[in-house]
Amino acid sequence: MQVSRGLEDVIIKTTSLTFIDGEKGILRYRGYDIQDLVKASYEELIYLMLYGELPNKEELEKVKGIINESYEVPESVINVLFSLGRSCDPLGMMETAFGAMASIYDPKWDRNTDKETALKIIAKASTITCNIMRSKEGLKPRTPEPSESYAKSFLRSTFDREPRADEIRAMNASLILYTDHEVPASTTAGLVTASTLSDMYSCIVSALSALKGPLHGGAAEGAFKQFQEIGSPDKVEEWFSETMKEKKRIMGFGHRVYKTYDPRARIFKELADSLSSKNPKAREYYVIASKLEEVGLRELHERKLYPNTDFYSGIVFYSIGFPVYMFTPLFALARMLGWTSHFIEYVEEQHRLIRPRAAYVGPDRRAFKPIEERSKKV
Ligand code: CMC
């Protein structure tokens, strides 16, 4: 009997979406290096992931058109978000909103339109993420208005201001960097639901529920909170030694797949460096993070522990103005594209109900006794 704990090394599907070489630090979406794709617009990436090729201008306009028409979320869903209370967990709010939408939209998996469903989900996720923050900040609901880009519409509606060009570029790049990472726990949870031919909104609820756990979605927040805890660059060495002595982990360091520098972390670092130069508080955290990276690399590189994507991403989000509690919802917003692309790839090309087995190790058959005949335990 071989039990594959954590489904480690189990191949659940084939994919043409994402390629990772953890030894060489390579990440590609549909054959394109992440370093090249990060220069594209998020809408181009949406087309690439869902339709397999980079779009021409006409195809891009079509995708933008569907997204621009789909930002609206039913009022009842927005009302639910605003009735939950400002102290609610933001990812739980996201699950609630998608759960509500699963009950409103056609629950059938429609093979002819599911790429369009994915586009609608990506648009509505922007409205939901924006309103999670607006609800928690005590602001009024707002729906993103169409603009030149998805990233710009999202920032403008979330913050009620015109975002700067470098903020839009950083938001666009963050969406691309967090788009997909093969089949981590959240994607796998969503795939299990997709395999039952449940609707795509419910698949997102499953993925979000898995993302919510601290072993998956919370590392960017964890990394940023440790920079806050350290407080100043001269305390890094001492903090690091204490953390190692207590056998705690450096958040934003290490990866199950990458045994070298995570290519996403390099790009996030550049973005964090440039954006934080305009935000003094964020700059303080960037300087602490750089120092922690230096010490971490010195002490941990022999164990193949390097910064991962979550090490610097929080500084990018914080520089733009996002509160720390928004880091995981922002990850989820970007991952909508990866999740839906995997669901479609699985259901359209490789569908089979996911139904593993468990090896029984309990007692052999026992005679049932009525309760009167069971001896007292105390
Ligand atoms: N700081 C200190 N030591 C570490 C760290 C770390 N961040 N990560 C792993 N180690 C040590 C660990 O203690 C263990 O040491 P030993 O062999 O002496 O017991 C060894 O490295 C192997 O650890 P592991 O837990 O078996 O390795 P894993 O492949 O299961 O861990 C990980 C991957 C991401 C869970 C882990 O590196 C970790 O907990 N990192 C911190 C949390 C984090 O940054 N998570 C975000 C991951 S990237 C998300 C994404 O790709 O979307």
Side-chain angles (χ1 to χ4, degrees):
M1 170 176 63
Q2 188 168 350
V3 177
S4 189
R5 283 181 63 217
L7 298 183
E8 197 161 353
D9 296 328
V10 170
I11 308 284
I12 196 173
K13 71 194 277 269
T14 61
T15 186
S16 311
L17 294 165
T18 295
F19 169 79
I20 307 169
D21 183 330
E23 294 297 327
K24 296 193 184 128
I26 296 173
L27 170 63
R28 294 189 190 123
Y29 298 148
R30 292 212 184 262
Y32 295 100
D33 283 329
I34 192 71
Q35 292 85 343
D36 294 328
L37 278 178
V38 86
K39 297 171 198 146
S41 70
Y42 189 54
E43 290 88 331
E44 285 174 276
L45 186 72
I46 290 173
Y47 192 94
L48 176 68
M49 293 299 272
L50 290 174
Y51 298 92
E53 298 295 336
L54 285 168
N56 60 28
K57 283 191 177 156
E58 209 174 77
E59 290 162 335
L60 183 62
E61 284 316 307
K62 200 173 162 207
V63 160
K64 282 187 173 181
I66 298 174
I67 291 177
N68 285 341
E69 283 164 14
S70 310
Y71 281 124
E72 207 68 41
V73 164
E75 207 184 338
S76 54
V77 177
I78 298 293
N79 288 344
V80 169
L81 279 182
F82 279 79
S83 66
L84 285 173
R86 291 178 64 179
S87 62
C88 278
D89 177 85
L91 217 66
M93 293 168 84
M94 211 166 192
E95 286 174 55
T96 306
F98 272 93
M101 290 202 290
S103 63
I104 293 169
Y105 291 106
D106 185 355
K108 282 193 272 322
W109 185 286
D110 184 339
R111 280 164 190 268
N112 298 319
T113 59
D114 57 5
K115 284 179 185 150
E116 260 189 43
T117 307
L119 292 172
K120 287 177 190 164
I121 284 177
I122 290 163
K124 292 183 197 319
S126 163
T127 312
I128 286 167
T129 311
C130 154
N131 282 294
I132 287 171
M133 186 173 134
R134 294 183 68 85
S135 157
K136 285 181 72 68
E137 295 297 312
L139 301 168
K140 287 202 166 62
R142 182 165 172 183
T143 300
E145 299 94 26
S147 72
E148 309 88 271
S149 79
Y150 180 87
K152 181 175 179 178
S153 297
F154 172 65
L155 291 178
R156 198 165 58 185
S157 56
T158 304
F159 293 108
D160 285 332
R161 66 172 170 85
E162 275 309 301
R164 297 193 314 261
D166 61 342
E167 292 174 323
I168 299 168
R169 268 198 305 278
M171 188 68 226
N172 183 76
S174 304
L175 289 165
I176 291 172
L177 293 169
Y178 270 122
T179 283
D180 192 39
H181 216 231
E182 211 204 59
V183 283
S186 56
T187 314
T188 304
L191 281 169
V192 171
T193 306
S195 85
T196 70
L197 297 185
S198 186
D199 63 290
M200 224 189 275
Y201 288 89
S202 298
C203 298
I204 297 288
V205 177
S206 300
L208 285 168
S209 308
L211 185 72
K212 192 160 179 264
L215 292 188
H216 191 3
E221 196 172 320
F224 192 83
K225 283 183 175 158
Q226 79 198 350
F227 308 145
Q228 290 180 312
E229 187 188 311
I230 295 170
S232 84
D234 55 303
K235 303 227 175 83
V236 168
E237 293 274 5
E238 191 193 335
W239 183 91
F240 184 87
S241 317
E242 283 301 312
T243 305
M244 290 295 107
K245 247 189 248 154
E246 290 169 22
K247 300 217 172 300
K248 287 195 200 147
R249 291 181 177 213
I250 310 299
M251 298 308 281
F253 249 75
H255 201 279
R256 175 67 60 82
V257 183
Y258 293 117
K259 298 303 164 202
T260 182
Y261 212 104
D262 180 333
R264 301 166 298 174
R266 272 189 214 291
I267 306 170
F268 267 127
K269 183 179 181 181
E270 283 167 23
L271 291 168
D273 185 9
S274 115
L275 272 189
S276 66
S277 62
K278 294 185 182 143
N279 178 329
K281 194 69 205 163
R283 193 69 196 168
E284 282 177 28
Y285 295 132
Y286 176 78
V287 175
I288 294 169
S290 314
K291 179 73 187 163
L292 182 59
E293 178 191 345
E294 189 190 306
V295 175
L297 285 177
R298 190 187 70 208
E299 300 296 326
L300 300 172
H301 83 274
E302 274 177 13
R303 294 161 70 191
K304 298 194 171 185
L305 296 168
Y306 294 84
N308 63 49
T309 191
D310 295 321
F311 194 73
Y312 285 105
S313 63
I315 297 175
V316 173
F317 296 142
Y318 183 84
S319 302
I320 296 174
F322 286 105
V324 178
Y325 68 74
M326 284 301 288
F327 295 177
T328 313
L330 290 170
F331 177 164
L333 173 66
R335 200 49 69 88
M336 294 287 157
L337 173 57
W339 287 333
T340 51
S341 302
H342 275 285
F343 304 157
I344 292 169
E345 189 177 58
Y346 186 78
V347 173
E348 292 204 328
E349 296 168 20
Q350 312 170 31
H351 180 247
R352 186 157 169 82
L353 177 73
I354 297 174
R355 202 297 187 192
R357 296 294 310 269
Y360 180 73
V361 293
D364 284 341
R365 182 176 182 279
R366 297 191 274 181
F368 177 83
K369 280 186 195 163
I371 195 159
E372 303 76 37
E373 292 174 28
R374 289 174 221 158
S375 53
K376 275 192 189 160
K377 293 228 172 60
V378 278

